[in-house]
Amino acid sequence: MLRYLPKLLGIKEQTLFFNTVTRTKYSICAMGEAKLDSKGIPLSSIIGAIQSFADTSLAASWDNVGLLIEPTEPIPIKHILLTNDLTENVIQEAVDLQVGLVISYHPPIFAPLKSVTTRTWKERIVARCLENKISLYSPHTSFDSIRGGVNDWLASAFDLENSNPIEPGTKPENGMGRICQLKNPISVMQAVELVKRHTGLSHVRLARAVHQNGDLVKTVALCAGSGSSVLKNVSADLYLTGEMLHHDVLDAVHNNVNVILTNHSDSERGFLKHFADKLLDILETPIKISVSKADEDPLKTV
């Protein structure tokens, strides 16, 4: 019966819904004032679900991950907003959508705050979260490290023979970066087109290897975000990351490595839609999950 609800209700805005009886996911939308019949989920249950996918112990030691903002009055969560960065535009979106939890891949609280005022944009975000009883969770490098996380999503742009962490963690299947063997060699420009298609970008930046030994890519080393430290001196035909320092790019191309740069967050953002499905599977409870429409990389190629 549920599969016919979209036509009966008149879909305009996508809502993710999980039927715990048939264990089937549907994309439905309420028309007018109709809403999902849900009393919500305790914040602790959602945090438990996130950490069952990627525990915070997987994060880099320098990172600031986990529950960063929690209102004093506990509110059952009925709506979650996923974003790569929690900016002032995104927090306004969260307030307008009346979400109870924002999962921001990047932690907006990183350097310690000495005050919570209206003076800086990060302080204003904290204040607005508390004023509107919105909790904030940031997974960041725990999502990078976990098998099936951000780096594996980025690697899935290619047809892979195998993929392994460049810097393995306690469990060898987890860790930072990925070194990938392709099933079949492809040209550098084919790699560019695959990356653009996968990320939804119309443009990327390309640095060609100085001494071309043919034009084929058989191995790809990648790291979502800023990959210089992870990729440095890794043997591969191609580096794929969001951003690298100028001199690191020069080192790479003089070592016969091609480089594709997407902009920092554009190498990560596409994972959010996949994580929405994963979170629904884990929760097995009707809840609305939205991927931010206001979230975008601040850099644009013009």
Side-chain angles (χ1 to χ4, degrees), residues 120-132:
T120 67
W121 70 274
K122 289 191 175 183
E123 291 179 71
R124 291 194 293 271
I125 284 172
V126 173
R128 295 206 70 187
C129 282
L130 294 172
E131 287 169 351
N132 291 276

Side-chain angles (χ1 to χ4, degrees), residues 31 49 64 91 101 103 117 135 182 188 198 200 210 215 225 260 270 297 299:
M31 181 178 181
N64 187 34
I91 193 60
L101 171 65
I103 300 176
T117 68
S135 298
L182 305 189
V188 173
H198 189 61
V210 171
D215 189 41
I260 296 176
D297 197 283
L299 286 172

Side-chain angles (χ1 to χ4, degrees), residues 94-218:
V95 171
D96 293 341
L97 292 173
Q98 298 182 321
V99 306
L101 171 65
V102 172
I103 300 176
S104 176
Y105 169 75
H106 286 138
I109 304 173
F110 198 83
L113 295 176
K114 294 185 177 181
S115 61
V116 179
T117 68
T118 59
R119 185 175 52 210
T120 67
W121 70 274
K122 289 191 175 183
E123 291 179 71
R124 291 194 293 271
I125 284 172
V126 173
R128 295 206 70 187
C129 282
L130 294 172
E131 287 169 351
N132 291 276
K133 299 179 181 179
I134 297 172
S135 298
L136 169 65
Y137 186 96
S138 290
H140 201 200
T141 53
S142 65
F143 273 20
D144 292 346
S145 176
I146 192 68
R147 175 64 68 180
V150 176
N151 279 310
D152 289 312
W153 167 80
L154 186 60
S156 67
F158 305 99
D159 189 15
L160 302 178
E161 182 69 34
N162 57 65
S163 173
N164 295 290
I166 294 172
E167 298 178 354
T170 305
K171 293 183 177 181
E173 67 269 22
N174 300 326
M176 299 304 171
R178 295 293 183 266
I179 181 70
C180 307
Q181 301 291 328
L182 305 189
K183 285 184 178 179
N184 299 294
I186 59 176
S187 71
V188 173
M189 292 313 299
Q190 283 177 310
V192 167
E193 290 306 314
L194 288 172
V195 170
K196 288 164 67 174
R197 186 186 312 162
H198 189 61
T199 58
L201 297 172
S202 57
H203 298 87
V204 296
R205 291 195 289 171
L206 172 65
R208 301 296 295 263
V210 171
H211 306 291
Q212 290 290 326
N213 295 321
D215 189 41
L216 293 181
V217 173
K218 301 175 183 177

